[in-house]
């Protein structure tokens, strides 16, 4: 009996020592995510939708990849998301002096620019002046507001009934119509100028296609719940690729 107890005790100690040699849980974690530097174009994507996805100005993305207007891309194309476009620069070469003399160093004084005064929040106007005359895309209760530091609050959410008319917020051209952007459902993006774009997400039905010129107030979609759990319109305005608060532009 004692010998049997002895072997059981030795076995327990052996199992315990093996378990202590296992890697700790912390060492089994996934490596930290890396910053995305490239994008592989999928079917249905456009340069505008890809720029929208990564919060970039479409002109900047086109310049980085050497793509000219009308900004056509194709499935399987690899796009760089970081870098600089090719910019022509001129370099000046000093002409040799006819006289053999030692070079004289010249000191050029540059006047320091005055430091900008910090802008107080109280001095920022409630409404922002814009070259675009904006209007509400749909009338309904405001469900969610824009939050600059929240990636899920890049615009405003407006409640409504399924099938209700969604109208263009300003004159422009439809540059994206589809559902390739995850989290937006059936989406329309309208280009109003080289500076401003607007987006209309979670639609039930799209009534205009890419390349269509639209007028402010024109019916462009039917409100719905694609990509979300309730009927609503997610509306965004972007200036030079960056989301801005629509409430500072809407009347």
């Amino acid at each position: 009996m004692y010998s049997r107890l002895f072997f059981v005790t030795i076995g327990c100690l052996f199992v315990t020592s093996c378990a202590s040699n296992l890697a700790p849980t912390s060492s089994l974690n996934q490596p930290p995510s890396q910053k995305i530097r490239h994008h592989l174009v999928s079917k249905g994507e456009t340069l505008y939708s890809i720029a929208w996805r990564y919060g970039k100005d479409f002109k900047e993305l086109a310049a980085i990849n050497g793509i000219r207007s009308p900004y056509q891309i194709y499935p399987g194309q690899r796009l760089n998301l970081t870098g600089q476009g090719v910019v022509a620069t001129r370099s000046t070469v000093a002409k040799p002096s006819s006289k053999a003399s030692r070079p004289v160093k010249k000191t050029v004084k540059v006047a320091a620019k005055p430091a900008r005064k910090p802008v107080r929040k109280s001095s920022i106007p409630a409404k922002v002046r814009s070259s675009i005359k904006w209007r509400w895309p749909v009338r309904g209760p405001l469900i969610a507001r824009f939050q600059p530091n929240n990636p899920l609050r890049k615009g405003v959410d407006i409640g409504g009934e399924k099938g209700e008319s969604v109208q263009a917020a300003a004159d422009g051209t439809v540059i994206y119509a589809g559902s390739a952007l995850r989290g937006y459902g059936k989406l329309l993006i309208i280009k109003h100028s080289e500076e401003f774009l607007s987006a209309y997400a979670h639609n039930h039905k799209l009534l205009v296609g890419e390349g269509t010129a639209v007028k402010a107030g024109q019916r462009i979609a039917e409100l719905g719940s694609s990509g979300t759990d309730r009927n609503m319109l997610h509306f965004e305005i972007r200036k030079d690729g960056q989301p801005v608060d629509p409430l500072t532009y809407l009347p």
Side-chain angles (χ1 to χ4, degrees), residues 12-25 27:
C12 293
L13 292 174
F14 178 76
V15 172
T16 304
S17 63
C18 290
S20 63
N21 292 329
L22 296 177
T25 305
S27 67

Side-chain angles (χ1 to χ4, degrees), residues 16-98:
T16 304
S17 63
C18 290
S20 63
N21 292 329
L22 296 177
T25 305
S26 59
S27 67
L28 302 178
N29 291 339
Q30 295 294 329
S33 59
Q34 298 179 355
K35 186 176 180 180
I36 300 176
R37 299 181 181 276
H38 304 90
H39 178 85
L40 197 64
V41 179
S42 299
K43 184 179 180 180
E45 290 184 315
T46 67
L47 185 77
Y48 299 100
S49 66
I50 295 171
W52 190 277
R53 174 179 176 179
Y54 294 102
K56 290 184 173 293
D57 185 358
F58 69 91
K59 300 186 295 295
E60 176 190 2
L61 186 59
I64 292 173
N65 292 278
I67 302 173
R68 297 183 179 180
S69 181
Y71 310 119
Q72 294 182 348
I73 57 177
Y74 54 88
Q77 183 176 358
R78 181 184 173 92
L79 297 180
N80 294 322
L81 301 176
T82 60
Q84 295 181 346
V86 179
V87 180
T89 57
R90 294 188 304 172
S91 59
T92 57
V93 180
K95 295 181 179 179
S97 175
S98 57

